[in-house]
Amino acid sequence: MKKSLLFFVSLLVGGIGLLTPLSLLASALPFFGGFDVVNIPCTCAPALSWDFFIALHYSVSSAGPIIPTTGYTAGAFAAPVTPVLFSNYYIRPETWVLGTYTQGAGVCLIGVEPYCVYMPNYGLITPETGVSPTI
Amino acid sequence: MHKGIFLAAAVLASSFWGQFWPWASAPVVVSVDPLAAYRVATGSVDVYSTDRKIVGIQNSIYTSINTALVYRQAPQIHPPAYAQTLGNGVLVKSLSVQSGLPGVNVNVVALNLQTSSANSVYFEASSTGQVFVVKNLKPSAGGILSFTLPSFPVGRYDVAISNSSGMSNTAFFVVRAPTSPKVTVISVLPAKVRWGGTLVISGSGFTATGNEVITAFDTIFNVPSPDGRTLVVHITPEQMRVAASMGSGAISIPDTIEVVNNNGYTPAAKNFSVSI
């Protein structure tokens, strides 16, 4: 009896241990979803792009809700050039993007140094992103 | 006796009638158009109305950035006002398949569908401008419209949904023939191209005219391929125009290539990069 209980507890702890990094990370971040209309590389901050979304849904905290009560909005996020979750689907215009983001992160500057323009955004898309196929 | 004479006279008369006026006895042939129920009169719908709004937003943002870079006086971009109706209108998210033979089942995932059967899916042929419509579609609980592809003529189409909130953006769909060759991209050279430079795409299934090359930043239309195996395009994404004119080519931007034409489209994108 004790052995089986110990086995169950260790299984539970082990399972939580395996799941924790991803689930905690995802649940700790606010999320968003929207239709990407513009993608511009942040040429003064390489490896990032600036994406402007219309029909954007986003939450300001991990508690949600994903659809704001005020309705649809528009706005931009900075995004890593390399996709994080679905390797075949790069973030690009006229695709739908879904993921989590980090508020305040992702400074995007566009241009050629020293002539760089700051691109305002809600945050950096990270660590999870999915994109619909090209439409 | 009288009856027999009357019958013979009637047969003779009908024979003469048929001889002098042959159409009177010819079988009536009624031509049935299997697509009649789907045809839309040319010019009666504008499938591209929302696409134009999106292009307008894209261009206004590109102009803001390019102007700021040219005059070097704006420390921050203020994205222009957007059309609120775009976010509240019907928008296509994805298609379960983007090429197939008539009879294939197509699922269209969309936002802001009517819950009743008041949704229509329009198909506008790229080559002829001919428009067909599949009417009275009711979405599933997940916001998906499902229908069987009618026997539309072979070719590339732009697909949009229409309901009481207007016309959606378009997605492409290729109606294939059983004999249509597969469209593939084998190589893209050079692997790194300067903005405005030439890219050579090698593959198969390209059409003599009307190929569409889709990159991560823009789409290049009506690209010819005289040999069916090669496409030559110039890479000039508008959003990098001014930065490219100022740069030394030291910055590389990852990009992708896909091809769509009347035969179908490439199943996987090929990578290259643009230097500015």
Side-chain angles (χ1 to χ4, degrees):
Chain A
M1 177 66 185
K2 275 186 179 176
K3 269 187 181 176
S4 61
L5 186 65
L6 190 67
F7 175 72
F8 176 74
V9 169
S10 62
L11 198 67
L12 193 67
V13 170
I16 289 172
L18 282 174
L19 293 174
T20 295
L22 188 62
S23 55
L24 279 185
L25 201 57
S27 65
L29 292 167
F31 27 74
F32 78 99
F35 185 55
D36 191 330
V37 290
V38 169
N39 172 290
I40 300 175
C42 305
T43 49
C44 291
L48 287 182
S49 66
W50 183 86
D51 289 79
F52 190 74
F53 298 88
I54 288 186
L56 172 67
H57 312 265
Y58 71 100
S59 67
V60 291
S61 73
S62 58
I66 193 164
I67 300 175
T69 51
T70 50
Y72 309 106
T73 185
F77 289 94
V81 168
T82 306
V84 182
L85 183 59
F86 297 111
S87 57
N88 291 324
Y89 294 156
Y90 288 85
I91 294 175
R92 56 187 169 186
E94 296 177 36
T95 58
W96 287 81
V97 183
L98 183 69
T100 54
Y101 72 100
T102 304
Q103 288 169 307
V107 174
C108 176
L109 297 164
I110 289 176
V112 177
E113 290 189 56
Y115 306 109
C116 298
V117 176
Y118 173 68
M119 303 295 289
N121 60 68
Y122 289 124
L124 177 66
I125 295 174
T126 180
E128 296 179 17
T129 312
V131 179
S132 68
T134 301
I135 56 170
Chain B
M1 180 64 184
H2 286 290
K3 273 186 181 173
I5 291 170
F6 181 75
L7 189 64
V11 168
L12 201 62
S14 92
S15 167
F16 272 113
W17 185 268
Q19 193 172 345
F20 290 112
W21 294 279
W23 60 84
S25 58
V28 177
V29 178
V30 178
S31 68
V32 177
D33 178 3
L35 294 177
Y38 301 104
R39 287 187 196 282
V40 175
T42 305
S44 62
V45 293
D46 183 1
V47 171
Y48 302 105
S49 55
T50 294
D51 281 357
R52 278 198 299 276
K53 285 182 192 170
I54 292 171
V55 170
I57 292 164
Q58 290 170 331
N59 288 340
S60 61
I61 290 175
Y62 300 156
T63 302
S64 299
I65 293 168
N66 287 340
T67 304
L69 291 176
V70 166
Y71 294 102
R72 301 168 186 176
Q73 58 188 201
Q76 177 172 325
I77 289 296
H78 297 285
Y82 66 97
Q84 182 68 44
T85 51
L86 189 65
N88 292 330
V90 59
L91 285 166
V92 173
K93 286 185 172 180
S94 63
L95 274 62
S96 58
V97 289
Q98 288 192 269
S99 73
L101 300 170
V104 70
N105 189 55
V106 182
N107 296 323
V108 184
V109 185
L111 189 72
N112 297 332
L113 290 170
Q114 296 291 307
T115 52
S116 63
S117 302
N119 303 286
S120 300
V121 177
Y122 285 89
F123 283 73
E124 179 156 342
S126 301
S127 54
T128 63
Q130 199 170 21
V131 182
F132 301 97
V133 61
V134 182
K135 294 178 184 171
N136 303 324
L137 295 171
K138 184 177 183 179
S140 67
I144 298 172
L145 296 179
S146 297
F147 60 92
T148 301
L149 182 69
S151 299
F152 295 153
V154 170
R156 184 200 174 289
Y157 290 81
D158 289 314
V159 180
I161 298 171
S162 176
N163 61 26
S164 60
S165 65
M167 187 69 75
S168 74
N169 56 317
T170 64
F172 68 78
F173 188 93
V174 182
V175 179
R176 303 185 75 232
T179 54
S180 297
K182 195 176 174 184
V183 181
T184 59
V185 172
I186 297 166
S187 68
V188 177
L189 293 171
K192 182 187 285 190
V193 63
R194 191 74 201 261
W195 190 97
T198 303
L199 205 63
V200 179
I201 303 162
S202 300
S204 63
F206 304 152
T207 49
T209 58
N211 298 283
E212 210 168 285
V213 176
I214 304 168
T215 77
F217 298 103
D218 60 357
T219 301
I220 305 158
F221 296 94
N222 298 321
V223 182
S225 178
D227 64 358
R229 299 192 303 271
T230 312
L231 296 168
V232 179
V233 292
H234 297 287
I235 301 300
T236 57
E238 183 57 32
Q239 56 269 60
M240 301 178 207
R241 177 183 295 278
V242 174
S245 70
M246 297 160 65
S248 63
I251 299 171
S252 288
I253 311 296
D255 205 342
T256 57
I257 286 281
E258 291 177 340
V259 176
V260 59
N261 60 29
N262 283 347
N263 291 329
Y265 80 103
T266 46
K270 289 283 180 187
N271 299 323
F272 71 104
S273 64
V274 185
S275 60
I276 62 170

